[in-house]
Amino acid sequence: MRFLDYFSDETMLFGGRYSPVLDYLGFLRLPARQAAKFLYDYYADPRHFSKFEMIPVTGGLEENLSLLEPFDGLILRRYLVTQTVNPQWSMIIGNHAPRGGGGPSKVRSLAEISKCEGLSVDLVRPVKNPETGYGCLAACIFKYYPPNVPVRISPPCFVHVSDQGNHRVQWHFEHSKEYFEFEDVEGYKARVKTDRFNPVKALEYCRHFGLDPFNEDFYTNEAYVVSARSHSKDKPIFELSLAELRERVGYHLLDTP
């Protein structure tokens, strides 16, 4: 199968209408309020940040996506922490530009700080806007972080298949040295690298941890916005609305009527 053939309503939130923001999902094994508090404390350092806030919000996940705007180039950090129907897990997404996402990049640190499990999954369809020259390379990444493991240590379960973005399409596959019992280790030997690990397998792995990340009904209306501003005097490289972010990298070109 082609890599794109692995994407369906089962492996994309809202049919991909909010890519790339919802292509990068982070999860922490804590209720949303506690996860948001750890994230707030992470940024509440007056040496590096100011105007840090933690605000409870209501509304569904789709409605709350607008609260991440503007998508910013490194100055303003804003995260949406949403409670899942599994009371043990919350989901984190961020406002990082130029490609959106950002939640998974914090899960590793938060897992260590909170002494709780963390998990992230990135399912990215390849796309490029020829007018801007920006886009996203294809990727399927699953990372599991055990509790209280130093961030300098690689996670014990790390599966990654991605387009390396060289002059020609060159897929790259790698795995950590350790394996879980539920992993399809034999499948990792498939001739085609995108068959070794793909969105369908990533979803199966998530379900072993009680997560159903690409099911809209998996998310509740309990959520929190955590934000902080860097002390940097530089201006943001980007300040984009969700629609502008999608158009910049070309995801609007994949929308179906």
Side-chain angles (χ1 to χ4, degrees):
M1 292 175 61
R2 296 183 311 136
F3 185 63
L4 280 174
D5 292 335
Y6 285 107
F7 287 86
S8 66
D9 287 343
E10 193 177 35
T11 52
M12 291 188 297
L13 275 166
F14 304 108
R17 296 193 305 276
Y18 298 100
S19 295
V21 180
L22 293 180
D23 295 348
Y24 306 92
L25 305 178
F27 295 89
L28 197 64
R29 197 181 183 95
L30 278 176
R33 190 175 188 282
Q34 289 179 258
K37 184 60 168 59
F38 274 112
L39 186 57
Y40 173 86
D41 290 343
Y42 180 93
Y43 278 109
D45 183 346
R47 295 173 300 174
H48 304 292
F49 297 95
S50 63
K51 299 181 180 179
F52 19 84
E53 294 181 303
M54 172 180 161
I55 304 172
V57 296
T58 58
L61 175 60
E62 189 172 16
E63 178 183 352
N64 288 340
L65 286 174
S66 63
L67 302 175
L68 291 174
E69 297 178 340
F71 287 82
D72 176 87
L74 302 178
I75 306 301
L76 177 64
R77 291 277 68 89
R78 186 177 284 126
Y79 296 90
L80 178 66
V81 183
T82 303
Q83 179 64 51
T84 73
V85 297
N86 183 333
Q88 296 180 316
W89 287 94
S90 56
M91 186 267 281
I92 305 171
I93 52 177
N95 75 327
H96 294 199
R99 294 183 177 85
S105 68
K106 287 294 171 284
V107 165
R108 185 172 187 167
S109 298
L110 292 174
E112 178 183 17
I113 295 169
S114 66
K115 297 181 172 58
C116 293
E117 292 172 286
L119 186 152
S120 64
V121 58
D122 302 349
L123 302 187
V124 185
R125 293 172 294 163
V127 71
K128 184 175 182 178
N129 184 339
E131 295 183 0
T132 65
Y134 287 91
C136 293
L137 296 176
C140 181
I141 304 172
F142 175 91
K143 298 180 182 179
Y144 168 76
Y145 301 102
N148 199 29
V149 171
V151 295
R152 65 181 179 275
I153 305 254
S154 296
C157 184
F158 174 71
V159 195
H160 182 170
V161 59
S162 65
D163 179 354
Q164 294 298 285
N166 297 320
H167 296 296
R168 61 186 178 84
V169 175
Q170 187 176 33
W171 288 91
H172 174 73
F173 173 84
E174 63 179 312
H175 193 285
S176 60
K177 295 180 180 179
E178 300 180 43
Y179 297 86
F180 282 110
E181 292 182 358
F182 61 77
E183 289 189 67
D184 180 19
V185 178
E186 285 301 311
Y188 296 152
K189 302 175 185 178
R191 183 181 63 84
V192 179
K193 289 184 179 180
T194 51
D195 290 339
R196 297 179 189 178
F197 192 65
N198 51 60
V200 173
K201 289 186 179 182
L203 177 58
E204 292 174 356
Y205 288 10
C206 288
R207 286 173 172 165
H208 278 277
F209 291 91
L211 297 171
D212 194 8
F214 303 101
N215 176 2
E216 290 85 2
D217 295 331
F218 185 61
Y219 302 98
T220 74
N221 285 16
E222 180 187 355
Y224 302 83
V225 171
V226 177
S227 63
R229 179 173 291 276
S230 168
H231 285 321
S232 172
K233 296 181 180 180
D234 296 334
K235 293 183 178 180
I237 304 171
F238 309 102
E239 286 185 303
L240 305 173
S241 69
L242 180 57
E244 289 170 336
L245 172 65
R246 283 173 48 76
E247 184 171 351
R248 185 174 191 274
V249 297
Y251 271 108
H252 67 297
L253 301 174
L254 298 183
D255 289 345
T256 55

